[in-house]
Amino acid sequence: MNLPNRITITRICLIPIMMVFLLVNFSFYPEPLVWNSYELPLNQLIAAIVFILAASTDGIDGYLARKNNMVTNLGKLLDPLADKLLVAAVLISLVEMGKCDSWIAVVIISREFAVTGLRQIALLEGSVVAASKWGKAKTVVQIIAIVLMLLNNFPFELIGVPLDTIATWAAALITIYSGIDYFVKNKHLLRLTNA
């Protein structure tokens, strides 16, 4: 168990901690943080910090694994799994909290399953589906949208700009486009063969 894999496992372990802060109402929470008409419950702030910490480990574990020649089969399995679990868990929690439309969560999670399936087909064919620029853009926009939803659109709520809604729609559209892009560029993997 090398350092990059430990970092990835830490990301997975942060998921239930984040969900507890999002979904469990503790009686000992202090009053929400309030600025003018803006209000942010402390549990959401803590969950946002945990999410940002977990999301930031994604780049760190991959960088360390490549730099130190510590890429393992376990890491190849755990890293994308951890990413998908993190995004799915927080999106489902946000739907439960009424902060995200369920169709957006379904679109994003479905795309992750579909691209994972495509990557599995590629592995069976002895090839690799590399991350595209649209896939990377999708990840960045999703993280921004999720953080804004967790923070009740802070600081943009203070100036009346619904950036959380804009980022969420952008995340959904880029997610759809990046998924289509993966399948179009790798359509040769889906050719029918005689059994």
Side-chain angles (χ1 to χ4, degrees), residues 2 5 13 19 25 41 64 69 83 99 106-107 124 148 150 184:
N2 60 30
N5 290 346
C13 292
M19 291 186 70
N25 291 321
L64 288 175
N69 197 24
D83 299 341
K99 293 186 171 296
V106 169
V107 163
L124 292 173
L148 287 170
L150 289 172
V184 168

Side-chain angles (χ1 to χ4, degrees), residues 11 54-64 66 79 83:
R11 181 158 75 255
S56 67
T57 65
D58 181 30
I60 295 169
D61 58 6
Y63 172 76
L64 288 175
R66 289 185 297 274
D79 186 55
D83 299 341

Side-chain angles (χ1 to χ4, degrees), residues 16-194:
I17 296 170
M18 176 193 66
M19 291 186 70
V20 165
F21 281 107
L22 282 178
L23 301 177
V24 177
N25 291 321
F26 294 111
S27 59
F28 58 81
Y29 280 147
E31 291 297 314
L33 305 171
V34 178
W35 295 277
N36 297 326
S37 61
Y38 174 79
E39 186 175 298
L40 178 64
L42 184 62
N43 62 310
Q44 280 181 229
L45 176 60
I46 296 170
I49 292 168
V50 173
F51 175 78
I52 292 167
L53 178 64
S56 67
T57 65
D58 181 30
I60 295 169
D61 58 6
Y63 172 76
L64 288 175
R66 289 185 297 274
K67 180 183 177 186
N68 299 315
N69 197 24
M70 296 164 61
V71 176
T72 64
N73 288 334
L74 179 62
K76 290 178 186 176
L77 170 70
L78 286 180
D79 186 55
L81 177 63
D83 299 341
K84 288 164 183 51
L85 287 173
L86 178 64
V87 170
V90 74
L91 284 175
I92 292 167
S93 299
L94 289 166
V95 169
E96 173 73 15
M97 296 166 68
K99 293 186 171 296
C100 181
D101 291 334
S102 57
W103 73 265
I104 289 178
V106 169
V107 163
I108 291 173
I109 294 169
S110 298
R111 180 264 186 210
E112 298 302 339
F113 279 120
V115 172
T116 298
L118 181 65
R119 285 196 163 112
Q120 292 301 317
I121 292 170
L123 285 175
L124 292 173
E125 295 287 324
S127 61
V128 175
V129 175
S132 71
K133 65 179 180 182
W134 285 107
K136 293 174 182 175
K138 175 266 310 177
T139 301
V140 170
V141 177
Q142 281 180 5
I143 290 170
I144 291 169
I146 289 168
V147 170
L148 287 170
M149 283 188 278
L150 289 172
L151 295 177
N152 291 347
N153 197 36
F154 181 80
F156 303 98
E157 186 67 22
L158 299 173
I159 56 174
V161 177
L163 194 60
D164 56 344
T165 303
I166 294 167
T168 302
W169 274 88
L173 293 173
I174 294 173
T175 296
I176 292 167
Y177 183 83
S178 70
I180 293 169
D181 183 58
Y182 273 113
F183 278 89
V184 168
K185 287 181 177 173
N186 296 282
K187 60 182 180 287
H188 62 281
L189 296 171
L190 303 174
R191 68 185 184 278
L192 297 177
T193 57
N194 292 326

